[in-house]
Amino acid sequence: MSRIGRREFVGSALVGSAGLLALRTANVADARIEVLINESIGTISPEIYGHFIEHLGGVIYDGVWVGEQSKIRNIGGIRRSLVDYMRQLKPGVLRWPGGCFADSYNWHDGVGPRSERPRRTNFWIRDTTQNSDSPQVYERNQFGTNEFARFCKLIGAQPYFAANLRSLPARDFYEWVEYCNAPADVTTLSRMRAAAGDREPFGVKYWGVGNESWGCGGNLTAEEYATEFRKFIAWVPRYNVKLAFIGSGPNGADRRWTRGFFTRLAEKGENFFRNLYGWGLHYYCGSTGKKVSTEYTTDEWYELLGKSDRMESLINDHWSVMGEIDTRRQVKLVVDEWGAWHERDKDMPETYLWAYPGTLRDALVAGINLDTFNCHADKIALDNVAQLINTIHSLFLAYEDKFIATPNYHVFEMYSAHQGGTSVRTVFSAPRVSYSVAEKANSLWGLQGSASLHDKQLVLTVVNPHHNQARETEITLRGSSVRACQSRVLSSTDIHAHNSFANPRALEPKDADVSINSSTFVYQFLPASVTRLQISLA
């Protein structure tokens, strides 16, 4: 079922106070939301709320791994603050080791005694950092398979391994599966795992077969990649785990890659699609202007939100192509890299590539994408925001003993209430927002969001993109009555608001009770906001 929610009507926007959170009478509402409780889309898989860590910049070393001897609080070498925050999110899945790093990574380098593990040149080495003797440039392999599996266990996430298809043969892939999943003490590799401190198998279900094979993962054609994919997954031992193989899908709107791969795979018969769990889509909405995360004009605020909203059409386009060939709909979409992407903050080390504090604008990007995924719960099995810490669309920023949660973290915390719920059709109507890009007129919807049902609890999340106007909105719940409502809102009068090491709590969500006495009520969505309404149904 395609997403429905772009019905507009003509109306004049109402300027509201950024501090006001109140009900109004229905006759002044300039926007409407209809939640159709009895029209379900599908279950929102917890794995839609997935994350990603790669050996890129300061993500692994200093972000996740500080070492067991570090003065920074840690659990077996893993940063304690990160574990504590992630436990609150209940993350569905965590992807590793890449990204482009995956297709230059030999998993054998990251197992066995740490003191004996080799040093390698990191895929992400830069000319300006080549003389830096740092783990971000010359990989020391202190964080490998066992450490990753323990991190996943600590935070309650399922591991998702991305395998090297470009520079390792298929044999290394199924041996990695054996190392992770073979029963204790029965093979040389399972004994090696036990010697590293993990006697029992990890039971890894999710396996990515290559990464961006159209580019850094091999520069293959779609047809060439399909042949490699079939070879890699042929007769991989299961060890009583239902393995879920995820294919290296398109770069953004490249439908030719999707069509070419599916067409070549279909040559083995339509039943062969049972071997492909998910089709990975990568899309970054990028940046604007100077590409500095904290510096942008009002038009650039809207420009990035508009680019983020492109995710909607990408999902629909690739799903359509997939369905032309996989007519039984055996394969789901996996958006295993997404987010905004700005330049490194000048206060972060040069080796910490693309490390910056996300702002309120990035938080709205997160809300837009998560709402889109919720509304396509029938199509999407798994997603991974890129990345967890210290680069790109990160939820956290860390340097040595300093650690902060970014606004992205708060959005994930707010939206985690959707996990496992039934996505229900929700229709949004609001005046569009106008802006310019390169002196050309553009517009963006005035309100958008998603809703999910959890027995007698309804979760409604809404993004108001307008930089300084509140939205008086009439909300109607079709098919149920209401007992109570609580709101949680992330917003600021400063659209550049963000957290920093000096002010780690500058931007945080605020809670409030909302008085409701019927299934139709009016609520004011603050300007530049992400809102969660948790509504108890009668």
Side-chain angles (χ1 to χ4, degrees):
M1 181 184 296
S2 62
R3 185 181 183 185
I4 298 175
R6 306 295 167 91
R7 189 180 67 199
E8 291 110 14
F9 71 100
V10 178
S12 44
L14 204 72
V15 179
S17 167
L20 187 61
L21 233 176
L23 298 173
R24 294 287 188 265
T25 57
N27 60 0
V28 299
D30 70 336
R32 285 171 176 76
I33 300 173
E34 295 180 60
V35 182
L36 306 173
I37 290 173
N38 295 321
E39 296 190 28
S40 65
I41 295 171
T43 300
I44 298 174
S45 167
E47 284 72 48
I48 285 178
Y49 289 79
H51 303 273
F52 174 30
I53 56 173
E54 180 174 4
H55 294 245
L56 187 166
V59 176
I60 300 296
Y61 301 110
D62 198 26
V64 177
W65 182 260
V66 297
E68 293 165 318
Q69 307 307 314
S70 175
K71 294 180 181 178
I72 299 170
R73 292 190 315 138
N74 67 86
I75 304 174
I78 296 168
R79 186 183 287 269
R80 177 61 183 264
S81 296
L82 179 61
V83 171
D84 291 342
Y85 270 85
M86 287 302 290
R87 283 173 173 169
Q88 298 176 45
L89 289 185
K90 299 179 176 62
V93 67
L94 182 64
R95 181 176 181 239
W96 172 86
C100 291
F101 179 86
D103 277 301
S104 67
Y105 180 65
N106 187 333
W107 70 268
H108 295 280
D109 291 346
V111 298
R114 290 197 200 100
S115 60
E116 299 175 12
R117 296 180 189 178
R119 289 167 59 110
R120 309 288 189 195
T121 300
N122 188 289
F123 173 90
W124 294 100
I125 189 173
R126 298 296 174 88
D127 290 343
T128 56
T129 62
Q130 64 181 337
N131 295 320
S132 172
D133 184 20
S134 68
Q136 293 85 20
V137 180
Y138 295 101
E139 174 63 51
R140 298 170 188 175
N141 286 296
Q142 298 300 285
F143 187 89
T145 298
N146 293 74
E147 290 79 14
F148 171 66
R150 291 170 197 158
F151 180 40
C152 289
K153 187 174 182 180
L154 282 171
I155 64 176
Q158 292 194 69
Y160 167 14
F161 284 77
N164 183 342
L165 180 138
R166 176 175 61 84
S167 56
L168 288 181
R171 177 171 180 169
D172 284 270
F173 175 54
Y174 67 71
E175 286 185 348
W176 201 8
V177 176
E178 180 180 320
Y179 180 89
C180 290
N181 291 355
D185 302 325
V186 298
T187 74
T188 297
L189 290 175
S190 67
R191 289 172 186 152
M192 185 184 297
R193 183 189 69 227
D198 295 285
R199 182 177 183 275
E200 297 305 315
F202 299 136
V204 179
K205 173 183 177 181
Y206 298 110
W207 293 90
V209 183
N211 169 79
E212 296 189 356
S213 296
W214 39 263
C216 63
N219 282 324
L220 304 176
T221 66
E223 294 76 12
E224 289 170 338
Y225 172 64
T227 299
E228 291 297 310
F229 177 87
R230 291 201 308 253
K231 181 168 64 177
F232 264 65
I233 69 167
W235 302 101
V236 177
R238 264 48 177 184
Y239 305 111
N240 205 33
V241 176
K242 188 177 182 181
L243 301 181
F245 297 123
I246 296 169
S248 176
N251 178 21
D254 188 359
R255 288 180 289 181
R256 291 179 301 175
W257 179 266
T258 295
R259 181 170 281 109
F261 175 85
F262 273 71
T263 300
R264 181 57 58 89
L265 219 59
E267 292 175 359
K268 295 290 288 185
E270 193 164 359
N271 284 339
F272 194 82
F273 287 114
R274 292 180 300 182
N275 299 296
L276 177 61
Y277 173 80
W279 185 231
L281 164 65
H282 290 183
Y283 174 63
Y284 293 95
C285 60
S287 189
T288 60
K290 300 176 182 178
K291 299 184 179 180
V292 178
S293 70
T294 55
E295 297 179 16
Y296 41 85
T297 65
T298 302
D299 278 338
E300 288 168 350
W301 158 276
Y302 291 122
E303 181 185 357
L304 189 65
L305 301 186
K307 290 167 67 177
S308 176
D309 193 49
R310 188 180 176 214
M311 183 67 77
E312 169 87 13
S313 63
L314 295 177
I315 290 170
N316 285 327
D317 287 351
H318 288 291
W319 185 252
S320 177
V321 173
M322 291 161 62
E324 294 172 9
I325 305 161
D326 172 26
T327 59
R328 301 177 196 168
R329 292 295 190 190
Q330 299 168 84
V331 184
K332 296 293 187 181
L333 273 168
V334 168
V335 187
D336 49 12
E337 291 190 27
W338 65 269
W341 194 325
H342 311 294
E343 293 296 325
R344 174 181 55 87
D345 186 272
K346 58 181 174 52
D347 292 330
M348 296 299 288
E350 188 178 6
T351 55
Y352 286 47
L353 306 179
W354 304 297
Y356 54 82
T359 68
L360 181 60
R361 182 176 65 156
D362 296 298
L364 266 68
V365 167
I368 289 169
N369 279 273
L370 293 176
D371 281 324
T372 300
F373 301 149
N374 290 341
C375 290
H376 290 282
D378 56 331
K379 305 178 184 69
I380 296 178
L382 186 154
D383 300 307
N384 306 91
V385 63
Q387 293 190 20
L388 181 63
I389 184 169
N390 275 356
T391 199
I392 314 179
H393 204 72
S394 64
L395 278 70
F396 308 99
L397 198 67
Y399 179 60
E400 297 177 344
D401 62 341
K402 303 181 182 67
F403 179 90
I404 59 168
T406 72
N408 290 328
Y409 165 80
H410 295 301
V411 172
F412 268 83
E413 181 275 324
M414 292 165 65
Y415 277 60
S416 65
H418 281 296
Q419 290 178 293
T422 299
S423 176
V424 295
R425 192 162 71 92
T426 309
V427 181
F428 290 78
S429 303
R432 294 184 69 85
V433 180
S434 298
Y435 64 100
S436 297
V437 177
E439 299 183 352
K440 293 183 179 180
N442 281 267
S443 68
L444 180 67
W445 40 258
L447 281 182
Q448 198 54 263
S450 64
S452 63
L453 191 62
H454 311 248
D455 193 19
K456 292 294 185 180
Q457 183 89 355
L458 180 73
V459 178
L460 174 65
T461 49
V462 178
V463 171
N464 177 9
H466 204 292
H467 75 285
N468 68 1
Q469 289 186 9
R471 287 290 182 208
E472 296 281 356
T473 305
E474 180 183 283
I475 301 174
T476 301
L477 307 185
R478 304 290 187 192
S480 185
S481 54
V482 178
R483 287 195 302 107
C485 180
Q486 292 81 40
S487 67
R488 188 165 175 82
V489 183
L490 185 70
S491 183
S492 174
T493 54
D494 177 11
I495 62 172
H496 305 91
H498 62 279
N499 299 326
S500 65
F501 293 139
N503 192 359
R505 303 187 65 181
L507 182 60
E508 291 184 330
K510 294 179 173 58
D511 297 321
D513 291 326
V514 180
S515 297
I516 297 177
N517 54 20
S518 72
S519 59
T520 296
F521 59 97
V522 173
Y523 182 86
Q524 186 183 76
F525 292 99
L526 294 184
S529 66
V530 180
T531 299
R532 181 187 72 194
L533 298 180
Q534 289 186 287
I535 303 170
S536 299
L537 305 178

